[in-house]
Amino acid sequence: MLPEYRVGNGYDLHRLGADHPLRIGGVDIAPDGGAIGHSDADVAMHALVDALLGATGGGDIGRRYPDTDPANRDVDSSRFVAETMADLRKAGWDLVNADLTIVLERPKVSPFADAMRQQLAAALGTDAKRISLKAKTNEGVDAVGAGEAVACHAVVLVVRGPTQAPA
Ligand code: MG
């Protein structure tokens, strides 16, 4: 029997301007002007959850963690990633790698990228070498370019079967 591989794609966007720090990938990168949302509004954690659910046919984050549920208010979104990954492992899946792209006009993400990779890897229960995180601006275009929103794209590869995820 060959190992089964699945790819998953996730995307998230949040408006900016909340009266709390801007948290991306588990790292607070600005003291205020945070993302507006029911939880901590961490676009990277949210996009990652959707990618994991997408890879395994698990629906989406809105269905799994509804913003109408008071239990999800102001929570640390790394919990969503950890719980989702735990469910995948129960079903026999392991993460091969994850690749994320943050789209944010300011501040610059690159000084925080390694810390974000560590936080994302910790939430996933994996090594940071399996996590890639890139960042770009939206070149001043649209709401993200105007500094009104932050977005994140995530892709994951998961595997289950007779072999472990390749090193
Ligand atoms: Mg979200």
Side-chain angles (χ1 to χ4, degrees):
M1 191 174 114
L2 290 171
E4 179 182 10
Y5 288 91
R6 298 254 188 105
V7 65
N9 161 67
Y11 170 76
D12 194 28
L13 177 145
H14 281 263
R15 287 186 296 125
L16 296 173
D19 191 19
H20 58 69
L22 174 56
R23 180 176 300 172
I24 302 175
V27 179
D28 291 346
I29 72 165
D32 50 30
I36 297 167
H38 190 66
S39 64
D40 65 0
D42 187 327
V43 281
M45 294 287 180
H46 292 185
L48 191 51
V49 168
D50 262 353
L52 292 167
L53 294 173
T56 53
D60 63 52
I61 190 171
R63 205 156 75 191
R64 195 183 155 106
Y65 298 104
D67 60 9
T68 50
D69 185 346
N72 297 329
R73 176 170 288 283
D74 298 331
V75 302
D76 179 342
S77 295
S78 66
R79 202 192 83 197
F80 300 156
V81 171
E83 288 176 2
T84 302
M85 195 63 220
D87 284 356
L88 261 66
R89 287 201 171 93
K90 267 185 231 153
W93 295 102
D94 200 359
L95 179 77
V96 179
N97 73 305
D99 184 22
L100 291 87
T101 302
I102 311 288
V103 193
L104 178 69
E105 212 61 18
R106 62 191 158 271
K108 254 182 127 43
V109 170
S110 53
F112 304 98
D114 279 340
M116 290 175 183
R117 288 177 56 234
Q118 296 289 342
Q119 292 296 313
L120 293 161
L124 289 160
T126 193
D127 193 283
K129 71 174 190 250
R130 294 186 183 275
I131 314 298
S132 157
L133 188 140
K134 312 182 294 302
K136 60 198 301 147
T137 71
N138 214 40
E139 297 281 340
V141 175
D142 292 342
V144 173
E148 296 167 3
V150 55
C152 180
H153 301 264
V155 175
V156 299
L157 183 68
V158 297
V159 62
R160 76 176 167 189
T163 60
Q164 301 219 305

